[in-house]
């Protein structure tokens, strides 16, 4: 059927139905078969003649196309037929050319769909039309629009929407909900756009008072500052928040304590803990204590950390798994494994089961002391208690076994890792075993491991190539070492000075002075070109 014939055919069907009254909409609350039929016809025409929607100006449509039918058309084109851009064009055309005022649900439905599909510029047009048509978009709609721009990385555009909305609300003697701009602040902080968050907060909230801050607003910005070690700036906000009738809560104090512990000012953080204890509305919780305990553990002040554990228990604050993990890890890193195991037993007595982090910390501590037997015993306990290891558990044990020249056991663990579907292997796990076999002169086995590594989709890093190049050269396989060097360069992995010096030395030792000189000259030229650029 030709294009013009199809058009005539569709219009003929429509006009026949209209003549017999099947397309008349008697009630906006009902959805008779005739209404559904008419919606499908309009949607079909929009798709067939998407380049121009002028057919909507015909008398047929002017008589029967009302806001409720239009809602059905928008929904059908957008959701059922998946043409959101066309639904948007229908929406705009009917508003501007047919002077049709859409019901609020139409605008709301279309705006949400456009945002979900990333068409946030079109969504903004729908949002503005809602206000022009006399509908007041609720906070969730505004939040969706702002979030859509922010998710697209257009933070400035999102900010402009919020500011424009604030000005519009002031004219209407209303205020933007804190839910919306707090979500925007939180989004900026989570995306590490701290300077932008602070500038928006200080400029449009504190100074211009476009929005009314609440305690959540302050907490969000202070969290961003503390996570970026700008603790003194956070304290400045802490000092002025009362001027805006915002008073610190436990989240505020926990945020500042965390910030102080990050920069090593744990004593000052403990002063804040004592300040919290004096508050009447709230008291320190497990987060407060655990953050401070972690701070002391990082400084190696384990006695103070243990005292805080005792204090929190006396204050009827129950330690959690994270509390015990940080203190066990602290003892492990100091080599005080007896104390670490005592804390482990204390944890179990509190009814808290150890997880992979608990076991990994203990295994690491024993490996550092060279007590590999105890580490392997803990590995067995993990398996017995069905606690699945992570990649770091494997790496720590494999590295320790390789250093102890127990390559077969390390190889066995590597095979276990290979069979795991829940762990994505990393080069650093393979490198120790490859290095162990290369140093033992078993380059063939090292190559087998490399093949397995590639089969798992694990890309070689600089260390992998360096180990292999040196291993082959030391074994007398100089040409294979050169090929590995060339492959290293071809994949964009730049060798360091150790790799270069070792390869050149091996070549000269093998009587390949010319090859060594060429590689050395090329390396020098690469360095010079890098400096000039």
């Amino acid at each position: 059927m030709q294009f013009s014939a199809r058009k005539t055919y569709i219009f003929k069907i429509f006009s026949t139905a209209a003549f017999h009254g099947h397309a008349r909409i008697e009630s906006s609350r009902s959805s008779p078969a005739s209404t559904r039929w008419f919606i499908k016809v309009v949607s079909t025409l929009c798709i067939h003649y998407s380049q121009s929607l002028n057919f909507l100006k015909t008398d047929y449509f002017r008589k029967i196309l009302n806001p409720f039918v239009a809602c059905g058309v928008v929904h059908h084109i957008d959701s059922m037929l998946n043409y959101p851009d066309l639904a948007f064009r229908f929406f705009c055309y009917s508003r501007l050319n047919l002077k049709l005022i859409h019901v609020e649900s139409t605008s709301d439905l279309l705006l949400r769909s456009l945002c979900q599909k990333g068409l946030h510029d079109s969504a903004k047009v729908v949002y503005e039309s809602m206000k022009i048509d006399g509908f007041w978009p609720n906070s969730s709609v505004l939040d969706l629009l702002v979030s859509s721009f922010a998710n697209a990385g257009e933070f400035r555009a999102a900010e402009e929407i919020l500011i424009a909305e604030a000005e519009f609300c002031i004219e209407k003697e209303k205020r933007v909900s804190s839910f919306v701009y707090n979500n925007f602040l939180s989004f900026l902080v989570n995306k590490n756009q701290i300077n932008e968050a602070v500038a928006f907060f200080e400029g449009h909230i504190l100074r211009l008072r476009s929005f009314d801050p609440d305690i959540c607003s302050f907490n969000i910005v202070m969290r961003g500052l503390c996570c970026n070690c700008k603790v003194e700036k956070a304290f400045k906000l802490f000092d002025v928040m009362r001027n805006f009738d915002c008073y610190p809560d436990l989240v505020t104090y926990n945020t500042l304590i965390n910030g102080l512990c990050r920069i090593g000012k744990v004593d000052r953080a403990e002063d804040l803990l004592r300040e919290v204890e004096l508050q009447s509305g709230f008291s320190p919780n497990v987060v407060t204590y655990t953050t401070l305990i972690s701070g002391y553990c990082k400084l190696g002040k384990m006695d103070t950390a243990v005292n805080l554990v005792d204090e929190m228990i006396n204050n009827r604050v129950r330690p959690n798994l994270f509390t015990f993990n940080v203190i066990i890890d602290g003892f492990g890193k100091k080599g005080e494994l007896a104390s670490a195991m005592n804390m482990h037993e204390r944890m179990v007595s509190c009814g808290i089961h150890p997880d992979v982090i608990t076991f990994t910390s203990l295994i690491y501590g024993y490996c550092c002391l060279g007590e590999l037997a105890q580490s392997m015993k803990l590995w067995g306990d993990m398996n017995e208690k069905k606690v699945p290891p992570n990649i770091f558990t494997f790496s720590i044990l494999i590295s320790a076994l390789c250093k102890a020249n127990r390559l077969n056991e390390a190889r066995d663990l590597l095979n276990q890792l290979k069979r795991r579907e829940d762990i994505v292997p990393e080069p650093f796990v393979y490198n120790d075993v490859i290095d162990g076999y290369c140093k033992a002169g078993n380059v063939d086995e090292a190559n087998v491991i490399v093949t397995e590594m590639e089969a798992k989709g694990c890309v070689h890093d600089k260390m992998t190539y360096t180990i292999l190049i040196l291993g082959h050269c030391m074994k007398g396989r100089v040409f294979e070492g050169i090929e590995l060097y060339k492959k290293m360069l071809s994949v964009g992995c730049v060798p360091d000075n150790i790799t270069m010096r070792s390869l050149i030395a091996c070549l000269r030792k093998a009587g390949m002075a010319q090859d060594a000189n060429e590689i050395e000259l090329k390396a020098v030229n690469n360095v010079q070109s890098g400096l000039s650029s």
Side-chain angles (χ1 to χ4, degrees), residues 118-150:
L119 303 172
H120 43 268
D121 285 325
S122 298
K124 184 180 178 182
V125 174
V126 175
Y127 181 79
E128 294 300 330
S129 71
M130 293 177 73
K131 295 191 289 186
I132 293 172
D133 292 343
F135 301 119
W136 186 266
N138 59 37
S139 297
S140 64
V141 173
L142 176 60
D143 180 61
L144 185 67
L145 183 62
V146 172
S147 298
S148 182
F149 275 92

Side-chain angles (χ1 to χ4, degrees), residues 295-351:
Y296 279 119
C297 287
K298 288 176 182 177
L299 295 179
K301 297 183 177 181
M302 301 307 301
D303 290 341
T304 309
V306 172
N307 289 337
L308 278 172
V309 173
D310 295 334
E311 179 183 321
M312 69 186 294
I313 293 173
N314 291 334
N315 290 336
R316 297 184 179 180
V317 178
R318 188 173 185 267
N320 59 20
L321 178 61
F322 188 75
T323 312
F324 284 108
N325 277 347
V326 295
I327 202 163
I328 288 171
D329 183 65
F331 277 125
K333 287 178 177 176
K334 285 199 73 176
E336 299 178 11
L337 271 302
S339 298
M341 288 302 294
N342 287 336
M343 192 57 65
H344 171 261
E345 292 170 4
R346 187 173 179 181
M347 175 178 71
V348 173
S349 68
C350 290

Side-chain angles (χ1 to χ4, degrees), residues 1 38 139 162 190 195 221 231 252 260 294 302 322 335 360 366 386 449 495 526:
M1 187 181 292
F38 181 71
S139 297
L162 269 176
N190 292 338
N195 293 336
V221 180
V231 184
T252 314
L260 289 169
S294 178
M302 301 307 301
F322 188 75
T360 302
Y366 279 113
K386 300 187 183 306
I449 296 172
N526 288 339

Side-chain angles (χ1 to χ4, degrees), residues 33 37 46 94 110 147 156 161 195 209 250 260 387 392 503 515 529:
W37 182 89
C46 286
S94 56
L110 183 58
S147 298
R156 182 60 183 168
I161 292 170
N195 293 336
R209 298 302 298 269
L250 185 57
L260 289 169
V387 177
F392 299 106
L503 176 59
D515 295 275
S529 62

